[in-house]
Amino acid sequence: MDLVSSLIRSKAQRRFGSEQPNAVFGRYIEIYGDNAYIAYRSPRDLIVNVSRLLAKEGRPLRVVLCKLPEGYYSDDLVEASGSAPMQMTDLHELLSGFGLSFLEPNSINCEDDRSYEWLTWPSSALFDERVDEVLRTLSGCFSLETALFSDGVKLEYLGLEVARKTLESDSTVVGTSERDRQARELMYVTGYEVKEELGRVISQLQTTRSSFKSHHPHALVCRDRWLRVQISNHPEVIGFESLTSIELGSVDDTSPRCYGVGRSMDGLSSLLCFMSGPDLMAPFEAVLVLSALQNSSFEAPVPTKISFITQRRNVTEAFRTILSRCSRSWEIVSVSERWFDIAEKRNSC
């Protein structure tokens, strides 16, 4: 018996003696009656296991948390991907919002509460402070999107980063990835003309990025942000009048989803969560982001609902099952399979 199984069984035996579990979900989840024993290393992989539980179990459950020892590592215990911090004091409240109660709520060790400093929205004051004349000129010259983060600014072409400037640096650097930026530094030891080099990058991306059917890496990455660009240009496709992008984390954070706040035709405000593929973690992170907005000094009307924007084929039964347990108001809005090419009518699914 390995460490994970022995940890779960030892806790279960205190209540159920030698009784065997009536359901086992992989190595990390065992169910005895209405009690689900979940082993986890950090709050992030706890949420991964909770999503697996909610996707398979329809009834309310009580969760017994089994904290693995510090330093434990296993290739099959994958942490949740996303930018929202999971080490938050309200993690217990978040999960209880999905119909779960905890027998040992104090087992969650919240190491860090960053008070939502990871969330950035483009208020006029912050925009003027971060986006200098160089960035404004480059953005206007090449029709680029400007993305503000907690520690810098990105310029993006169809959702893909092409240049950045951090708060720790006075210079703007060109590149679609860290390796691309490093390669350019090695090529131009004495420096390069930013506008000229950026023009070369955009010229290449107009071929490799714009063709959605292309298998070039430039056409395959950051499709959630690409989708957000298209919806920003045509908000009526999903029944909205306008969309304001918001960013999480730093310029180096990666996430399979991105966000915006949209104003619908009836004047109500919603948090828009853009997904580029099947994503069981999106409901949990979206609830965290909505809570952040509702507890912040967000200037626009505060969102009251979460709208998940994605292609119809990405909406799995497991995703629907998890959302059915969410106490927040939500909806799934599907877009055309050719969302990158043409604006079509809105479909609610």
Side-chain angles (χ1 to χ4, degrees), residues 5-23:
S5 298
S6 62
L7 179 66
I8 292 177
R9 297 290 174 84
S10 63
K11 288 204 173 189
Q13 285 174 357
R14 298 174 191 172
R15 293 187 175 89
F16 299 95
S18 59
E19 182 179 338
Q20 295 297 310
N22 62 326

Side-chain angles (χ1 to χ4, degrees), residues 173-336:
V173 293
V174 177
T176 57
S177 66
E178 183 178 1
R179 287 188 177 182
D180 190 19
R181 292 190 296 272
Q182 291 175 345
R184 191 165 279 103
E185 290 178 1
L186 293 175
M187 290 173 58
Y188 304 100
V189 180
T190 58
Y192 54 86
E193 173 58 41
V194 172
K195 185 175 181 180
E196 180 179 338
E197 194 62 24
L198 186 56
R200 292 195 183 100
V201 172
I202 299 300
S203 178
Q204 180 187 18
L205 291 180
Q206 287 174 342
T207 300
T208 59
R209 180 67 166 170
S210 301
S211 177
F212 193 83
K213 292 183 179 180
S214 169
H215 294 291
H216 193 284
H218 286 160
L220 300 176
V221 298
C222 300
R223 288 192 171 185
D224 56 330
R225 303 182 75 85
W226 187 354
L227 172 60
R228 185 174 66 177
V229 172
Q230 297 298 90
I231 296 300
S232 296
N233 294 331
H234 302 282
E236 69 280 358
V237 171
I238 60 171
F240 282 78
E241 290 184 346
S242 62
L243 186 156
T244 301
S245 299
I246 56 175
E247 307 295 351
L248 307 182
S250 73
V251 291
D252 288 314
D253 282 343
T254 58
S255 173
R257 63 199 75 91
C258 63
Y259 295 90
V261 173
R263 183 188 294 273
S264 62
M265 298 298 185
D266 56 10
L268 299 179
S269 182
S270 295
L271 173 67
L272 307 183
C273 175
F274 296 87
M275 304 188 307
S276 57
D279 186 0
L280 297 184
M281 299 308 303
F284 299 101
E285 186 178 274
V287 169
L288 283 174
V289 176
L290 182 62
S291 297
L293 287 172
Q294 293 177 341
N295 289 282
S296 69
S297 57
F298 189 62
E299 298 174 359
V302 178
T304 57
K305 181 173 66 174
I306 303 173
S307 298
F308 296 92
I309 316 298
T310 188
Q311 291 174 278
R312 185 184 299 275
R313 67 185 181 189
N314 295 331
V315 183
T316 63
E317 190 60 35
F319 184 77
R320 289 183 178 277
T321 301
I322 292 175
L323 279 180
S324 69
R325 300 285 294 272
C326 182
S327 59
R328 295 283 192 170
S329 178
W330 57 270
E331 69 172 347
I332 300 173
V333 179
S334 65
V335 295
S336 165

Side-chain angles (χ1 to χ4, degrees), residues 42-44 84-89 91 109-114:
S42 69
R44 281 184 180 271
M86 297 298 177
Q87 299 89 351
M88 301 175 65
T89 55
L91 182 59
N109 296 321
C110 298
E111 302 170 357
D112 178 30
D113 182 357
R114 288 187 273 175

Side-chain angles (χ1 to χ4, degrees), residues 78-114:
V78 182
E79 285 196 350
S81 60
S83 298
M86 297 298 177
Q87 299 89 351
M88 301 175 65
T89 55
D90 59 353
L91 182 59
H92 171 256
E93 180 182 353
L94 163 68
L95 297 183
S96 65
F98 286 83
L100 298 173
S101 60
F102 292 82
L103 294 182
E104 300 180 20
N106 294 329
S107 296
I108 299 181
N109 296 321
C110 298
E111 302 170 357
D112 178 30
D113 182 357
R114 288 187 273 175

